[in-house]
Amino acid sequence: QGGNNAGHTVVVDGKEYDFHLFPSGIINPKAISFIGNGVVIHLPGLFEEAEKNEKKGLKDWEKRLIISDRAHIVFDFHQAVDGLQEVQRQAQEGKNIGTTKKGIGPTYSSKAARTGLRICDLLSDFDEFSSRFKNLAQQYKSMFPTLDIDIEGQLKKLKGYAEKIRPMVRDGVYFMYEALHGSPKKILVEGANAALLDIDFGTYPFVTSSNCTVGGVCTGLGVPPQHVGDVYGVVKAYTTRVGIGAFPTEQINEIGDLLQSRGHEWGVTTGRKRRCGWLDLVILKYAHMINGFTALALTKLDILDVLDEIKIGVAYKLGGKRIPYFP
């Protein structure tokens, strides 16, 4: 799920890579990387990311990358609309959501409204694709009169991308079925975003537009629940958040600054400073209720080494009473 709104910094053999659409396994020459149907793909973003990482030594990625034919496409006008919506929210409500302006929300909106276009549409009849693209662009233009869309220019670029990705595209459901039932192999599923950004279970409306909980494995790849094995929760020894939303253990003081600077807490996609605070066990337990972790990977413990005292959020009170759930 997700798109190039989320970023992963991956350091291997002293080399640092930034991934947004690429699965982190793309570095491993022995691994096949697969972008599932639940992901929304901005094609210019995919090739820009490839180019940046090629300069860092990434080789032959196109031989190891497979893309689901059912993944939805993020268009440039989705990105423009994302920015316009944020401006609108700020003007109307005095606050925005703090999106990455990468067009993710508008693309999932198109998907839910059944007006979206998928990779398979781009690769089949291009005339049919073009007319649906024009209709979608027109819908957005009527909603946002200031929106300027170079329809012909965009279509020309998309036609070029279609040929570049064609060799990588497969029927994703059949691909996963064969992977699960063929010769034994290890399959690692990587989600984008964090549990508390899930559209259903996160701190709505300050969330992303997809399911970043373990259910996304079933819906985003077409993997039946019986095939989901171990579920690893990845959690820092402190809590961070990029963008707006509730954050009870946040430290807006020198502790927060220390965690931010020592932990190099910058959003990989936006470059924004991450908000930092003490580890919140209430949200960790809540994430466990939804995902059923078989293990936790606790990271960045060493960032706290310089502190004499470490605090942890253990409970929430509502109306003066301790509550056993996440409100």
Side-chain angles (χ1 to χ4, degrees):
Q1 44 60 239
N4 58 339
N5 54 330
H8 300 291
T9 305
V10 181
V11 183
V12 178
D13 295 334
K15 275 191 193 150
E16 190 175 295
Y17 302 89
D18 289 342
F19 295 130
H20 303 272
L21 279 164
F22 276 165
S24 299
I26 199 77
I27 305 168
N28 183 348
K30 294 182 188 144
I32 295 293
S33 288
F34 176 55
I35 296 178
N37 58 274
V39 177
V40 289
I41 303 173
H42 182 243
L43 291 165
L46 182 74
F47 286 100
E48 191 181 314
E49 186 175 332
E51 206 177 305
K52 275 185 185 161
N53 287 293
E54 275 169 359
K55 284 179 183 151
K56 296 174 182 180
L58 184 67
K59 287 187 190 75
D60 299 328
W61 61 271
E62 60 285 320
K63 292 181 185 142
R64 300 193 295 275
L65 184 67
I66 291 171
I67 298 170
S68 170
D69 56 348
R70 291 169 173 83
H72 276 253
I73 304 170
V74 181
F75 297 119
D76 289 354
F77 60 72
H78 281 130
Q79 298 198 332
V81 164
D82 200 349
L84 290 170
Q85 284 176 334
E86 282 285 79
V87 170
Q88 211 173 52
R89 286 182 197 114
Q90 191 67 50
Q92 288 167 352
E93 298 162 38
K95 62 180 178 201
N96 56 25
I97 288 173
T99 81
T100 58
K101 302 188 175 66
K102 295 286 179 188
I104 307 303
T107 306
Y108 280 114
S109 301
S110 298
K111 177 177 174 173
R114 276 105 16 132
T115 52
L117 285 154
R118 304 192 289 178
I119 295 288
C120 55
D121 301 315
L122 175 65
L123 299 189
S124 50
D125 180 349
F126 196 75
D127 290 339
E128 167 76 3
F129 174 85
S130 301
S131 76
R132 284 174 63 191
F133 177 85
K134 285 172 186 165
N135 287 344
L136 185 58
Q138 222 39 64
Q139 277 173 25
Y140 277 116
K141 278 175 87 106
S142 60
M143 285 195 299
F144 300 93
T146 58
L147 192 62
D148 184 29
I149 306 172
D150 172 13
I151 289 178
E152 293 312 321
Q154 300 259 320
L155 283 168
K156 196 178 164 187
K157 279 184 189 158
L158 285 159
K159 198 167 191 174
Y161 288 126
E163 295 324 304
K164 279 172 104 167
I165 63 162
R166 196 178 291 277
M168 302 174 219
V169 178
R170 305 253 185 103
D171 182 301
V173 173
Y174 186 59
F175 172 77
M176 279 314 301
Y177 181 81
E178 284 200 301
L180 291 162
H181 296 276
S183 57
K185 53 184 74 63
K186 290 182 175 139
I187 298 172
L188 174 69
V189 181
E190 174 184 51
N193 310 113
L196 270 281
L197 292 177
D198 185 277
I199 183 99
D200 285 291
F201 302 112
T203 48
Y204 193 90
F206 308 107
V207 291
T208 193
S209 307
S210 61
N211 289 111
C212 11
T213 37
V214 76
V217 176
C218 303
T219 55
L221 290 167
V223 170
Q226 76 216 51
H227 288 289
V228 175
D230 292 324
V231 179
Y232 297 109
V234 183
V235 60
K236 288 176 196 164
Y238 51 92
T239 303
T240 65
R241 173 162 204 150
V242 168
I244 301 158
F247 189 168
T249 61
E250 183 172 14
Q251 297 300 298
I252 307 171
N253 52 29
E254 63 280 5
I255 298 275
D257 294 343
L258 176 111
L259 295 171
Q260 201 277 323
S261 59
R262 263 182 74 89
H264 302 289
E265 295 296 349
W266 304 92
V268 181
T269 302
T270 56
R272 288 181 293 194
K273 277 186 180 182
R274 290 199 185 107
R275 298 160 61 194
C276 299
W278 299 117
L279 180 61
D280 184 331
L281 290 185
V282 180
I283 57 178
L284 186 53
K285 277 183 181 167
Y286 174 68
H288 178 51
M289 285 178 202
I290 298 158
N291 294 290
F293 300 129
T294 38
L296 285 176
L298 185 67
T299 66
K300 295 191 140 181
L301 199 52
D302 57 332
I303 304 301
L304 305 172
D305 281 353
V306 292
L307 297 165
D308 294 327
E309 182 182 53
I310 294 163
K311 295 185 182 182
I312 287 175
V314 292
Y316 286 4
K317 283 180 176 170
L318 198 59
K321 285 199 189 92
R322 271 173 85 135
I323 49 168
Y325 57 90
F326 179 77

